[in-house]
Each structure stands twice: as structure tokens, then as C-alpha cells.
Amino acid sequence: MSLPVQQYARCIDASRRPVDHIGDWPEKGCVYPIEYKRNARTGEPQVHVLGFYAERPYGAFATRRFEPVVELWLN
């Protein structure tokens, strides 16, 4: 069960967009609502930007690309 929180993070590295990436890509310096999820294959945490569309390869980003900004408790 996940906690009732909304997390936000700032993109600190928008470089090296894969050539085959189809979908939204974060901009350096922008703050996004995010969710941390584990990669099903590797178990490593990844950042999912809520509201982003991604067709390929996946809609997840390496945690090194973001820095946490705030965590808001929802009630």
C-alpha cells in the first residue's frame, strides 16, 4: 500500500535523449509531479513523470536525472 503523498522533482539532467525515444522528455530546471517505481527487470528505482506520454522505449527515467523538491501529504 502506498502512502497518500504526491512527490515533485526537478530535472537536473535532460541530456542524451535516446534517438529512438518517442514521447515527452523533461526539460532541465523544470519541476514535475513524479512517482518512483522499480524496474521490473532490474529492481532499480526509476522516475515516472506523471502526465508524460512515452511510446518507446519506456516512460521511465533514471533517478540521476532528477532531484527531489517536495513531498506533499494528501488527505
Side-chain angles (χ1 to χ4, degrees):
M1 179 180 200
S2 62
L3 297 174
V5 296
Q6 177 57 66
Q7 298 168 313
Y8 291 85
R10 177 179 290 108
C11 177
I12 57 172
D13 180 5
S15 67
R16 298 186 310 271
R17 178 181 176 146
V19 179
D20 64 343
H21 183 84
I22 298 173
D24 296 322
W25 191 260
E27 292 183 37
K28 185 177 180 178
C30 290
V31 175
Y32 298 98
I34 59 121
E35 196 172 70
Y36 290 102
K37 293 185 178 181
R38 296 212 173 270
N39 180 292
R41 203 169 23 101
T42 66
E44 292 295 316
Q46 295 178 313
V47 172
H48 288 256
V49 178
L50 301 179
F52 265 26
Y53 168 79
E55 195 172 302
R56 188 174 55 177
Y58 299 107
F61 301 94
T63 56
R64 66 174 169 71
R65 292 186 180 274
F66 292 86
E67 66 178 0
V69 174
V70 69
E71 183 173 272
L72 298 174
W73 284 85
L74 307 174
N75 56 350

